[in-house]
Amino acid sequence: MSRIQELPDDFNSSNPLPPSTETPFPISTKPKAQDASSTTTPSLPPAMDSVRSHTADEIVQMMKRTPLFMTNLDEAAGVDGEVSEENIELEALRALQYEGTRAEVALGFKERGNEMVGEKRWRDAKEFYTKGILALKRQSGQQGAQSKNGGGDDGSEQEEKEKERERKIEEACYVNRALCNLELKNYRSTLTDTSHTLSLSPTNTKAHYRSTLALLALSKYNLALDTCARGLALTSPTLISTNIAMKPSPEHLAFRSLQSRILAAKQEADEKEAKKATADEKRRKEQLTLSAAISARGIKVRWTGKQPDLEDASICLRPDPLSPTSE
């Protein structure tokens, strides 16, 4: 990587500068394929050779490890996971993500996730919420020192406040990540996140609502109705005052609407299952009746391991397939 150096006071601009030996990329030492013109073509300058010696994908990956083109601070590390000397400033940038207490770091990730949700960038939002959760689980030397030096009742009270703050941030990260998984149709991951949320706060209505939607998408109607009922119990059906009239709270109306959707979907699924069961039972009875009619008429049947090729023909009793007297 090129460096900017200060010119000395006695620098003479009339003298030509020596040719630069710096290259934008390290020159690859991989053996190159020999061709007919390789013996007659003159060698390239170092800067051009550093570009020509890499593939387009390799150049893109190297460019992503520079501040101007990088899309992820984790890409500051090289292939072996070590940060090169040229990328030492990127390691400092990456360390800034985790500067402060666990709650402060996690809150920063949560707010970035909220911004991504506003733009409907669900995968990016999910990544930020995950980082917020991981930040709360990491060991913070700074926070540990603060708790040690706190001492006394004041320190204990401050520690309890900090723990409560962390719990609320973790709850928000889990329930918001559940929304991302729901939008990405990762329904089982949604249920996992809402379960974590409810373990932190059993009265979180968003977790009940999103887990109900996930269960509905997985066609688990009975569980969805049970979860929806729990959410309804947590929301108040009390009328709220508006300038026009009195009406139930929006949360209660949302759960009522969702409950109606589940009941309609369950009824439709039950009807399909009933039709399928009826058709299967009718097919079974027809097969039994056909077997009894064949035996009663002394028709010899030979069974083989391979289905006969009847094309569109079929063996059945007419006009009533359930009557042994039919032909």
Side-chain angles (χ1 to χ4, degrees):
M1 184 180 293
S2 300
R3 304 285 183 180
I4 299 176
Q5 297 181 356
E6 184 179 359
L7 295 176
D9 295 335
D10 57 350
F11 175 74
N12 187 356
S13 59
S14 61
N15 295 333
L17 292 173
S20 175
T21 59
E22 294 186 353
T23 59
F25 307 106
I27 299 177
S28 176
T29 57
K30 296 179 181 178
K32 301 178 183 178
Q34 297 291 331
D35 53 21
S37 61
S38 61
T39 56
T40 59
T41 303
S43 59
L44 296 171
M48 294 182 64
D49 192 25
S50 69
V51 176
R52 292 287 184 88
S53 63
H54 296 281
T55 65
D57 291 338
E58 290 173 345
I59 291 176
V60 169
Q61 290 301 319
M62 286 187 285
M63 291 176 68
K64 283 185 177 180
R65 293 199 292 270
T66 61
L68 183 60
F69 299 102
M70 68 184 300
T71 57
N72 191 337
L73 283 176
D74 293 335
E75 293 175 354
V79 178
D80 56 355
E82 297 294 332
V83 178
S84 65
E85 184 179 353
E86 296 177 351
N87 265 2
I88 200 69
E89 63 272 19
L90 295 183
E91 179 65 12
L93 287 175
R94 190 162 59 178
L96 287 176
Q97 291 185 109
Y98 299 98
E99 185 177 8
T101 64
R102 286 197 299 258
E104 291 169 348
V105 173
L107 181 62
F109 283 128
K110 183 183 80 71
E111 290 175 350
R112 288 288 291 131
N114 293 347
E115 293 174 7
M116 296 297 102
V117 167
E119 299 175 12
K120 298 187 183 301
R121 293 168 57 180
W122 307 113
R123 295 187 186 280
D124 293 335
K126 178 183 174 182
E127 182 179 351
F128 279 115
Y129 292 135
T130 301
K131 286 185 176 181
I133 294 168
L134 293 176
L136 290 170
K137 297 182 183 301
R138 72 184 179 90
Q139 294 295 327
S140 173
Q142 179 182 357
Q143 191 162 347
Q146 289 176 353
S147 60
K148 285 181 181 179
N149 296 332
D153 296 337
D154 293 340
S156 178
E157 183 179 352
Q158 184 65 26
E159 187 177 351
E160 288 299 323
K161 288 182 179 179
E162 188 68 16
K163 285 182 178 179
E164 178 62 17
R165 185 186 180 197
E166 289 180 5
R167 188 197 63 77
K168 289 182 178 179
I169 296 172
E170 186 178 7
E171 175 189 348
C173 285
Y174 271 121
V175 76
N176 290 347
R177 193 173 72 172
L179 172 63
C180 299
N181 281 317
L182 190 63
E183 293 292 338
L184 294 170
K185 299 183 178 181
N186 300 330
Y187 300 122
R188 299 192 184 280
S189 297
T190 302
L191 294 175
T192 301
D193 285 340
T194 53
S195 176
H196 281 297
T197 305
L198 293 173
S199 68
L200 294 168
S201 175
T203 59
N204 190 301
T205 54
K206 289 183 179 179
H208 282 90
Y209 189 81
R210 289 163 188 172
S211 61
T212 304
L213 286 173
L215 290 168
L216 175 60
L218 293 171
S219 301
K220 297 183 180 295
Y221 304 114
N222 291 330
L223 288 174
L225 285 171
D226 180 66
T227 308
C228 188
R230 294 172 186 270
L232 275 170
L234 292 172
T235 57
S236 174
T238 305
L239 300 180
I240 58 175
S241 176
T242 64
N243 295 331
I244 302 174
M246 304 288 285
K247 64 178 184 179
S249 64
E251 285 184 341
H252 192 77
L253 290 174
F255 275 106
R256 283 291 182 194
S257 175
L258 183 55
Q259 188 181 52
S260 300
R261 285 174 55 191
I262 299 168
L263 290 171
K266 186 176 185 299
Q267 182 179 359
E268 183 180 354
D270 290 343
E271 289 175 356
K272 287 182 179 179
E273 187 65 26
K275 287 180 180 179
K276 182 178 180 298
T278 302
D280 291 343
E281 182 64 18
K282 182 182 178 182
R283 195 178 303 111
R284 188 185 67 84
K285 289 181 178 180
E286 289 177 357
Q287 188 64 36
L288 289 173
T289 305
L290 178 60
S291 298
I294 291 174
S295 298
R297 296 173 190 186
I299 300 174
K300 293 182 179 181
V301 178
R302 186 178 66 180
W303 298 94
T304 63
K306 184 179 180 182
Q307 288 279 354
D309 186 10
L310 300 176
E311 296 184 355
D312 57 346
S314 61
I315 302 173
C316 62
L317 296 173
R318 295 293 178 86
D320 185 5
L322 294 176
S323 175
T325 59
S326 297
E327 298 181 354

